Amino acid sequence: MADQDGEIEIDIEIGEDAAWVAAALVLVAVLGGAVVLSEWPLWGVDVQQSDAPGEPNLVEPAENGTVLWPYTSKRTTYGSKTLGINMVFFGDPADVRTALTRRSELEWEEEQLHEGDAESQTISYERVTLNPNASNLTDVVAWDSAEGSTRYTYVEVGDQGRWIDESYQLHAGTYFGSRQHIRAYDDPRGEWTAVQIHGEYWDWFRLRHTVMGVSDAQRQLEREFMGERYVDRVVRMPFENGRSDSDGWATGIHLVGTVLPLVLVGITIRTRRAQREVRRFLDRRSRELTLGAGLFALFTTIRHLGIAGEQLFPGLNPKIIAAFLYFVLVVGTPSIAYVLGRGSDRSWAFAFAALGLGAAFVVDYAVMGVSVVPLRVALHRGAVLLAVGLVALGGAATAESESIAPPLYVGLAGWALALLAPLFGYL
């Protein structure tokens, strides 16, 4: 409408549905962003660029020995490489495996010390024997056999090149929690074992492990062997294969002779003046608080049940445990949001649902030791929180109107899309 001066004034009225519509639009935007940043599996496009065709980066860990492509790969092609080989153990492959898995049982006896030039020393030891009654020589990580997807690497022996899969996998930690994961590749000539070690955690939305990084795990394993009497020397080798947070330098560990082989987050409120107001607020919002606590408890319980099931049934395929707990996650999360959302205030239902589940994500990342979250994963988790918040808001609105409210449909659709995207590889 025009005022007396001839200027046009526009009155904008914001309806009560504007907030949830805006949340729905943000949900679509962040979920779309997560998909765009994914690897686009149906079109075969990998966001991690590969070496130029026909020009793989090959290294030679030992002089005049086997040539190695210093990466792992999902398939027997250079274009599907994943992480870089970041450690090489020099010695008989059987001894290397023993050094990794049974060092606490080894009993060492020094034979003699050969002093060389000022820059190097060579230390020799007699063949060691396994002593089951020996006490631990040092505090080391306990490595156990592991389950994991098959990854390949390429080697050339003489003029013959071939793809090989891992000789074995080891892990320290839990399958459904966080762990350090080793894939070991034995040299066909028996001179060394190439290792790809990384930290990872089980992601219940992706139904697979997400890599946290490689450098921390590499440094920790490196420190375990550095200074040990059965290690001749530890060196760095420029493999120029930086992936994730790796700098492209691999650790070389030369063994001597023959080797037989929930973090709780505490928050303390110290301000006495605020206690009374907090108590009043909790009394008024007890149902919404129960909503947030229920979502928090469900997600964290699923994590701990997965770890407990893995330990109670070590012979059971982890995927069986994952299938049951994933069903609980898929059905239980929107059910809690809807049921406890009914009878709650709309705005507070949305806020507490997103806050409760978001807090579960943050605590879970802290417990798993995740310090860096990829942008596509952060966007996906944002979409999950918005979807669950809209389901809770829809439950509250449905109870008030006695008919199914549109936010409930949008929230459930967003929840379904947030689950389907990772299952089809878009995360």
Side-chain angles (χ1 to χ4, degrees), residues 39 44-53 56 69 72-82 163 243:
E39 296 183 1
V45 178
D46 192 342
V47 297
Q48 297 178 338
Q49 297 300 320
S50 62
D51 294 318
W69 182 57
T72 58
S73 178
K74 295 179 181 178
R75 296 175 291 276
T76 55
T77 60
Y78 297 125
S80 60
K81 68 181 177 182
T82 51
W163 289 90
R243 310 286 284 176

Side-chain angles (χ1 to χ4, degrees), residues 62 83 239 393 406 415:
L83 299 173
F239 277 6
L393 188 155
W415 174 250

Side-chain angles (χ1 to χ4, degrees), residues 39 46-49 70-72 81-86 196-201 210-219 240-249 370-374 376:
E39 296 183 1
D46 192 342
V47 297
Q48 297 178 338
Q49 297 300 320
Y71 297 95
T72 58
K81 68 181 177 182
T82 51
L83 299 173
I85 299 292
N86 52 357
Q196 202 301 302
I197 180 171
H198 58 272
E200 62 184 18
Y201 69 96
T210 296
V211 174
M212 298 183 289
V214 300
S215 61
D216 287 346
Q218 176 185 355
R219 299 295 180 263
E240 298 181 357
N241 60 344
R243 310 286 284 176
S244 183
D245 60 338
S246 170
D247 58 7
W249 285 72
V370 180
S371 57
V372 178
V373 180
R376 64 182 185 278

Side-chain angles (χ1 to χ4, degrees), residues 65-143:
T66 302
V67 175
L68 170 72
W69 182 57
Y71 297 95
T72 58
S73 178
K74 295 179 181 178
R75 296 175 291 276
T76 55
T77 60
Y78 297 125
S80 60
K81 68 181 177 182
T82 51
L83 299 173
I85 299 292
N86 52 357
M87 301 192 78
V88 178
F89 288 83
F90 294 92
D92 184 89
D95 295 345
V96 172
R97 184 167 187 173
T98 297
L100 285 169
T101 59
R102 304 185 67 182
R103 280 176 295 147
S104 61
E105 300 177 355
L106 296 179
E107 188 176 74
W108 300 86
E109 181 179 352
E110 183 175 342
E111 181 181 36
Q112 62 181 4
L113 173 66
H114 301 287
E115 295 187 359
D117 54 36
E119 297 181 355
S120 65
Q121 287 186 341
T122 302
I123 304 174
S124 300
Y125 295 93
E126 292 181 351
R127 180 181 295 269
V128 299
T129 57
L130 290 176
N131 181 3
N133 298 318
S135 60
N136 287 352
L137 298 174
T138 183
D139 292 330
V140 296
V141 174
W143 293 97

Side-chain angles (χ1 to χ4, degrees), residues 232-346:
D232 181 10
R233 65 186 185 277
V234 178
V235 299
R236 294 283 178 82
M237 302 176 292
F239 277 6
E240 298 181 357
N241 60 344
R243 310 286 284 176
S244 183
D245 60 338
S246 170
D247 58 7
W249 285 72
T251 302
I253 297 178
H254 294 257
L255 300 180
V256 171
T258 305
V259 182
L260 297 180
L262 239 191
V263 176
L264 296 178
V265 177
I267 301 176
T268 304
I269 301 177
R270 301 181 180 273
T271 307
R272 295 181 179 179
R273 185 175 57 184
Q275 291 179 355
R276 184 178 303 174
E277 293 299 325
V278 171
R279 190 179 299 112
R280 288 179 180 176
F281 177 79
L282 295 180
D283 289 340
R284 292 196 305 268
R285 299 301 173 197
S286 59
R287 187 171 182 84
E288 291 88 344
L289 182 62
T290 304
L291 166 61
L295 292 172
F296 179 93
L298 175 66
F299 188 79
T300 53
T301 299
I302 286 174
R303 172 71 73 187
H304 293 302
L305 285 178
I307 295 174
E310 172 189 351
Q311 295 173 342
L312 289 174
F313 307 102
L316 187 65
N317 190 323
K319 291 182 173 57
I320 297 177
I321 301 174
F324 170 74
L325 293 177
Y326 184 69
F327 175 79
V328 175
L329 175 70
V330 171
V331 176
T333 302
S335 297
I336 290 176
Y338 174 76
V339 172
L340 294 180
R342 295 178 62 89
S344 301
D345 176 83
R346 294 189 185 191

Side-chain angles (χ1 to χ4, degrees), residues 3-26:
D3 60 11
Q4 295 179 352
D5 297 328
E7 296 180 354
I8 299 177
E9 295 180 352
I10 300 177
D11 295 328
I12 299 177
E13 295 184 0
I14 300 177
E16 61 179 10
D17 293 334
W20 76 259
V21 171
L25 293 176
V26 175

